[in-house]
Amino acid sequence: MLAAFALAGCHQPAAAEVDSKTGPAPIAIAVAAAHQQSLDRTAEMQGALFPREHAVMSSEVEGRVTEVVADFGDKVAAGQVMLKINPREYQLRVETAQAALDQARAKLANSTARYNRAQTLKQAAAISSEQFDQFASQMRVDQADTESADEALAMARKKLGDTEIKAPFSGSVQKRMVSLGEYVAPGKEIYELIATDPIKLRCPMPERLVPLARVGMPVKLAIDADQGTSYTGKITRIAPALDESSRTLLIEAEVANPDGALKPGFFAHVTMDLGHDRALFVPTAAVLRYAGVARVFIVDQGVVRAREVTTGSVVGDQTEITGGLKEGDHVAVSDVDRLADGTAVIAKEQS
């Protein structure tokens, strides 16, 4: 019996040695080649709405508010009077400046007439050159005084005009910051005005889609407040550089908004048709996702090698691969949850 146990003990390591050399049996898997196929490229992004124009209007003159024409929520047209400041002081300034200009013009007319007579007398040698120069100098002084008086009148008229606060563009009053009877100083904020037709849409585009974006390209959007309605617009501007932290490119589109249903501040769900393209695809079954990382298993001489990939669009049962694979690479499409880097396999092309 002791001899039998000893013989059995001698044979045990040999069996283990055979098992370690043989290893697990290969796993039979189906494989498919990464391939190019056509793709109608679309992108889905999140964006936000902004006013087309936004202005905080301030007073350029001081005085008491005598009339409030436009209030919060009102629509105004470009050039429309929105508020009036007491103009009496500025009317008096205009009258004073006009009187000063009339006086300067009268002096200039007299000095011009004297200069013309002096020219005739000089030609007849009836006056000296020094006397003639005095007439010419006085006329030039009166000309300068007249020009200065004219500019003073123009400034007075401008100040009078500034007592009426007018809309710089057609839009809606977002906020009114003064009240009737209030005394305002130059620089005092009076209105916040916005224009929302068309309204601006801004959204970040992923780096991989940037080469496909073009000015004039159509966009579609929906808002949470009215998910049953779709709106369309066109890209009007594309940022010149990517945001370094998010690796996205800001694009801007204009969307018609005649009834004001789209409000600045709304979030928008954006769908963009980026045109026809060709891209690299593998069957979706080949892509294994774990902890936010996508992997595939490439078959290489009877074993599989794990490879991290970057994925894009999903079309039917195919997933776009934007990084990590090249055309012709064979990937496992079955039993991927049983595979690990270095697993021996028997590969069969998927039919």
Side-chain angles (χ1 to χ4, degrees), residues 13-153:
E17 184 178 351
V18 171
D19 288 342
S20 65
K21 288 182 179 179
T22 304
I27 300 175
I29 61 170
V31 299
H35 60 282
Q36 294 276 346
Q37 73 179 48
S38 60
L39 172 67
D40 291 328
R41 181 77 69 180
T42 60
E44 295 184 356
M45 298 167 285
Q46 300 297 314
L49 299 179
F50 296 84
R52 177 177 57 85
E53 300 291 349
H54 174 255
V56 177
M57 303 166 60
S58 302
S59 173
E60 296 189 42
V61 296
E62 63 179 331
R64 198 167 301 280
V65 177
T66 58
E67 185 177 356
V68 176
V69 180
D71 206 342
F72 163 74
D74 289 347
K75 291 185 177 181
V76 295
Q80 177 181 329
V81 175
M82 302 173 64
L83 180 141
K84 294 181 180 180
I85 295 172
N86 190 344
R88 181 55 184 161
E89 178 182 344
Y90 300 97
Q91 289 171 342
L92 293 174
R93 292 184 185 182
V94 169
E95 293 172 3
T96 300
Q98 182 65 63
L101 177 60
D102 293 342
Q103 185 177 4
R105 284 174 174 170
K107 290 179 63 177
L108 177 60
N110 289 333
S111 61
T112 301
R114 288 195 297 268
Y115 172 77
N116 292 335
R117 288 193 298 270
Q119 278 187 316
T120 303
L121 293 173
K122 184 181 179 184
Q123 290 174 356
I127 61 173
S128 65
S129 297
E130 290 79 3
Q131 290 175 313
F132 176 79
D133 290 341
Q134 288 178 352
F135 288 117
S137 177
Q138 184 60 50
M139 185 185 68
R140 287 194 294 269
V141 170
D142 291 342
Q143 280 181 327
D145 289 345
T146 302
E147 291 173 0
S148 178
D150 191 38
E151 291 173 357
L153 176 60

Side-chain angles (χ1 to χ4, degrees), residues 179-206:
S179 300
L180 184 66
E182 182 177 346
Y183 191 89
V184 298
K188 167 67 177 178
E189 294 183 353
I190 295 179
Y191 285 109
E192 184 177 346
L193 185 67
I194 61 173
T196 59
D197 183 26
I199 198 167
K200 286 183 180 179
L201 165 70
R202 292 176 183 162
C203 61
M205 174 176 282

